[in-house]
């Protein structure tokens, strides 16, 4: 295992954090998605979908169990390097994109340096 891989933490299914470089990285193609102190979604490709494409009407009539596109939109985020879908959000139209992951990088680095935490297989472990 390389030193870079040892200093990576798996944050989501497709998103890694490179601790030393403080960068978000797609763990499928290793493309850097931007500074870890910012929203990774800024670098991703974005596709807005009509909710009815994903959730088609189950019955006919005005109450059909399909989301109303005037009330909800589906926003998909893709890695610009490999096209992997990284995240999906259901938002009201006009609502800004969410900033869903904000880590205290300074404290994390401090705890890793002190030996309180260690990284094994891209996971944080508490040292006992």
């Amino acid at each position: 295992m390389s030193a870079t891989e040892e200093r990576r933490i798996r944050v989501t299914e497709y998103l890694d954090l490179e601790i030393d470089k403080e960068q978000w990285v797609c763990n499928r193609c290793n493309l850097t998605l931007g500074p870890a102190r910012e929203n990774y979604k800024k670098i991703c490709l974005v596709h807005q979908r009509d909710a009815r494409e994903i959730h088609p009407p189950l019955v006919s009539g005005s109450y059909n169990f399909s989301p109303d596109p005037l009330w909800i939109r589906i926003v998909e985020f893709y890695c610009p390097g490999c096209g992997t879908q990284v995240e999906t959000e259901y938002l009201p139209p006009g609502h800004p994109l969410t900033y869903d992951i904000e880590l205290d990088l300074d404290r994390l680095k401090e705890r890793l340096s002190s030996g309180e935490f260690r990284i094994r297989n891209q996971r944080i472990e508490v040292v006992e």
Side-chain angles (χ1 to χ4, degrees):
M1 183 178 290
S2 74
T4 302
E5 289 172 336
E6 290 177 16
R7 298 294 292 181
R8 264 196 196 185
I9 297 172
R10 179 70 38 96
V11 178
T12 71
E13 186 176 1
Y14 304 109
L15 192 64
D16 286 354
L17 169 66
E18 282 194 6
I19 299 281
D20 299 322
K21 295 179 182 178
E22 294 189 7
Q23 295 288 320
W24 293 118
V25 179
C26 171
N27 63 40
R28 298 301 188 242
C29 72
N30 292 317
L31 180 73
T32 298
L33 297 174
R37 294 183 187 270
E38 295 181 18
N39 194 344
Y40 65 91
K41 295 173 186 173
K42 291 180 180 181
I43 301 296
C44 291
L45 300 174
V46 179
H47 179 63
Q48 183 171 308
R49 296 184 64 176
D50 185 327
R52 294 171 297 187
E53 292 177 28
I54 307 297
H55 307 286
L58 298 177
V59 296
S60 59
S62 58
Y63 297 103
N64 57 23
F65 301 101
S66 182
D68 185 338
L70 297 175
W71 286 85
I72 195 79
R73 65 186 174 132
I74 298 175
V75 184
E76 299 169 336
F77 299 89
Y78 295 89
C79 171
C82 64
T84 297
Q85 187 173 346
V86 177
E87 182 62 83
T88 304
E89 295 184 343
Y90 284 64
L91 297 171
H95 192 283
L97 302 178
T98 61
Y99 189 178
D100 60 343
I101 302 173
E102 186 173 6
L103 304 174
D104 185 347
L105 294 174
D106 297 324
R107 182 70 174 130
L108 178 58
K109 286 179 168 183
E110 182 182 303
R111 294 174 91 175
L112 285 165
S113 295
S114 73
E116 182 182 353
F117 291 162
R118 70 174 168 224
I119 300 171
R120 185 186 305 180
N121 298 325
Q122 297 185 327
R123 303 286 190 256
I124 297 175
E125 293 183 346
V126 177
V127 177
E128 297 182 40

